[in-house]
Amino acid sequence: MQDFRDCLTHKLARVTIAEFLPGKFEEAQRLYQEAVDTYREGFCGAYLLREQGSDRGISVILWDDEAAMAAHETAVHQAILNQMAPLFASRPENREYEVVSEVVPSEVVAS
């Protein structure tokens, strides 16, 4: 049975909005994947969204909590971010959000 405190705990989403130099999105995407591949315990998923026909994107990375997110800010992770830094057209905007509602699709029942 789920403990009452679990109902009060929310996942955390780190959302980054960025624009890359022309033609650099694919390289940034490769580095993003390298960074995400280093995540383990407390990591709940990641999405990299790209505005069609542009070099602008949004990253959404989901964590169990702030401690899990902080634990993955390692030297390896920082080295990957340092490689990514020259690819940005301007400084990315980072924000953290509580996930207060999560809707997952229900299974499709075959008729």
Side-chain angles (χ1 to χ4, degrees), residues 53-102:
S54 80
D55 289 302
R56 290 186 295 270
I58 299 172
S59 163
V60 179
I61 302 176
L62 301 170
W63 299 97
D64 280 339
D65 52 38
E66 193 168 344
M69 182 175 67
H72 289 84
E73 294 176 355
T74 63
V76 171
H77 182 258
Q78 189 58 51
I80 295 168
L81 293 180
N82 289 344
Q83 291 176 50
M84 192 181 287
L87 306 177
F88 291 112
S90 59
R91 184 178 175 92
E93 179 183 334
N94 295 300
R95 301 247 191 241
E96 278 83 34
Y97 296 89
E98 277 188 349
V99 178
V100 295
S101 181
E102 184 175 5

Side-chain angles (χ1 to χ4, degrees), residues 14-34:
R14 172 170 278 166
V15 178
T16 302
I17 300 172
E19 182 169 1
F20 295 94
L21 295 170
K24 296 296 183 180
F25 194 94
E26 288 77 10
E27 185 177 352
Q29 181 180 355
R30 181 184 58 76
L31 291 167
Y32 177 86
Q33 187 63 49
E34 279 184 39

Side-chain angles (χ1 to χ4, degrees), residues 1-23:
M1 178 167 221
Q2 191 175 34
D3 186 78
F4 176 71
R5 289 179 305 249
D6 293 340
C7 296
L8 301 177
T9 303
H10 298 284
K11 290 180 185 170
L12 188 69
R14 172 170 278 166
V15 178
T16 302
I17 300 172
E19 182 169 1
F20 295 94
L21 295 170

